[in-house]
Structures are given as structure tokens and as C-alpha cells.
Amino acid sequence: MKRPNDDMLDALFSEARQQSPDVPNDLMARVLADAHHVQTKTSVVDKWPQRPQRLRDQLYDMLGGWVGLGGLTVATIAGLWIGVAPPAGVEDLAVGMLGEEVSLSILPSGFGFEAEVLFDG
Amino acid sequence: MIGAGAVLPRLSPPRQTAKGLHLSHDPPMNADDQDSDGQMLLAFAAGDTSAARALTARLLPRVLGQATRMLGNASEAEDVAQEAMLRLWKIAAEWREGEAQVSTWLYRVVANLCTDSLRRRRRSVALDQVAEPADPHGASDRRLQEVQRVQALSDGLAQLPERQAQAVALRHLEGLSNPEISQIMDISVRSVESLTARGKRALGEILRGRKEELGYHDETPE
């Protein structure tokens, strides 16, 4: 059902639909300047593309850079040194913590061949 | 420039597959245009400087037209158009071809920016203070009255709830179909029908008192 104001509204809509302004040159320039600005900002990132990381670099990062790698190297050397020339008390400490090493032979003494006999032929 | 209050529309995939949003007064946009808009936007994001010029030449007149028809004010419409295009440039890097149409996205951005602008206008100036009747004498009578009517319509839209104003503008000023509006506003077609019907009725009531002033007599436009 058509309402009393519908004719006026339809005429107003029709008149408004005719509004199709030309784009002013300065607006065009502003829009293109914005585009250039955004594109420039984006392309700064593009100019420094990220290379795929090599395995060595990935490992370096994973270990925490030079700080982590330095600590790891010191710990490794210290461990190696303790293994080769253990300071006094370290062996006793190990025995105390882990227990003493015990060797058991399941064969009675004098049974079978002596190694020297075998090697001597 | 427009303030940061405007709501950035979501980039959700269109719920319907209808292509080609046509305007009754601007050149129709076919599916090929829409596809190439998306491709050009991707080219822009990849650093192609000619893509910006091509997109601006194609889309800016449409964007400015929509803003002008809804706002009835050239200066405000230009600000909205510039802001809408700026948002397009900024979204280019995240654009996913096939998920949304550039034109649909722009209709939504412009509609949101326009309702923001209308909201500010409603807060700052009362309706009866906005469009002073122009002197209906002289050589530009017709043009003055035309401007006055478009401004009155825009001021009327400013009095509507925002969703109603958007739906009415997209339906009656842009000449879009209800399914197209449902895509743009991300609501059902039934909701579009309801919003446009209630909006048009409310707009008629708002403008009823200005009928004589706008030069309409006995239900017949001048």
C-alpha cells in the first residue's frame, strides 16, 4: 500500500540518484598520494626479503645465540676436563653417589683355558 | 580526514555467490571487472604502481558517488572517499582473492563511514537548523532546490538508526537489490527487507513536515 509520503520520498530518491559527481583532480591526487605512501611503506619490507635460514643459523638461534653457545662450550670443556683428569674427591663422590663397581665371575677359578695359553698356541 | 571512530568492516566471505553489483546510474560492474579488481589489488600489494592508478580511476568515482548521495555534502563526501580508498590500500596486503569482492567491501566501508559522518552531524546540529531553505528566485533556483532536497534527504537519513539508514541508502540511492545489500551488510535478505521498509516509513515521517519547503505539493513533485 502506498503511503502519503511515498511520492515525495520516491522523488527525493530519484533526485539524489542523479548525483554522480566528477572526481576533483585534487581528490584524485590525494588518493594516489595515499596509495604511494602505503605502497612505499610496504615495499620497504619487500626490499629486505627474508632468506631461508641455513641449518647452522637455525641451530645458533635455537641455542640462544652467542651467549648460550658460550655457556655451552664452557660446560662442555669443563666436563671433558673432569673426565680426563678428575680432581681429588670426585671419584669418592661418584662412589658415594652411585655405589662401588663390583665384578663377578660366573666361572670357577682355573676352569677352561687361560688367555695366555690360547694366544701362545 | 575521517576520525578513527569508523568501524572497519569484517572481511568475511560472502554468504551468497551473486556476482556483479549493479547500479542504476553508474556503469554496471560485471564479474570480469570484479575479478580484475581483486587481481589489481594483489598487484598493488606486490608493488605494481600502475595498479593504484587503474584502481583509483575505476573505483573512486563510484565511491565518491555513493558518499555524495548519502551525505549530500561534497566536502564530507570527498573525505569519506579518500578514507575509504586509504583503507583499501591498507587492506591490500591481506586481501584473499575469492573471499570477498572489492566492490562489496567498498560499499560496506563507505556506508559505515557515511553513517559515522551522519552520526557526528546529528550530534552537532539539530535537523531543523541544517538545511535553510534556499531563495527560490534567480537563475540557479532549480539547482539550489536540488541541493536543498538532497541535503534534506541526507539529514533525514541522519535521524534514522544507522542500520536502517544504510539499508535505505543502499536500496534507494544506490539501487542495489536486497540480496546484494544482504552481502554488503552481512545480514539476511529478510532483515534487509525489514530494515528498508521501516527506514523508509520513518524517513517519510521525518520529512513530512518539510514537504512545502522542499517544493512538493499535493503529492506531486515539482
Side-chain angles (χ1 to χ4, degrees), chain B residues 25-39:
Chain B
H25 39 78
D26 286 332
M29 186 175 276
N30 59 35
D32 288 342
D33 287 341
Q34 304 218 18
D35 289 345
S36 65
D37 283 347
Q39 285 164 5

Side-chain angles (χ1 to χ4, degrees), chain A residues 16-95:
Chain A
R17 279 197 295 270
Q18 305 307 315
Q19 304 290 312
S20 200
D22 293 331
V23 177
N25 289 336
D26 63 327
L27 175 62
M28 182 74 83
R30 292 202 307 268
V31 168
L32 287 173
D34 286 344
H36 178 69
H37 181 67
V38 171
Q39 211 168 27
T40 306
K41 275 201 323 190
T42 309
S43 63
V44 166
V45 177
D46 291 342
K47 282 175 186 168
W48 300 96
Q50 289 194 332
R51 278 185 314 183
Q53 271 196 323
R54 287 180 296 187
L55 183 63
R56 189 188 66 187
D57 296 336
Q58 286 178 352
L59 199 63
Y60 181 77
D61 288 345
M62 198 172 68
L63 293 174
W66 68 269
V67 175
L69 209 60
L72 193 65
T73 307
V74 169
T76 306
I77 292 170
L80 194 66
W81 181 255
I82 289 170
V84 170
V90 169
E91 280 185 2
D92 294 342
L93 186 68
V95 168

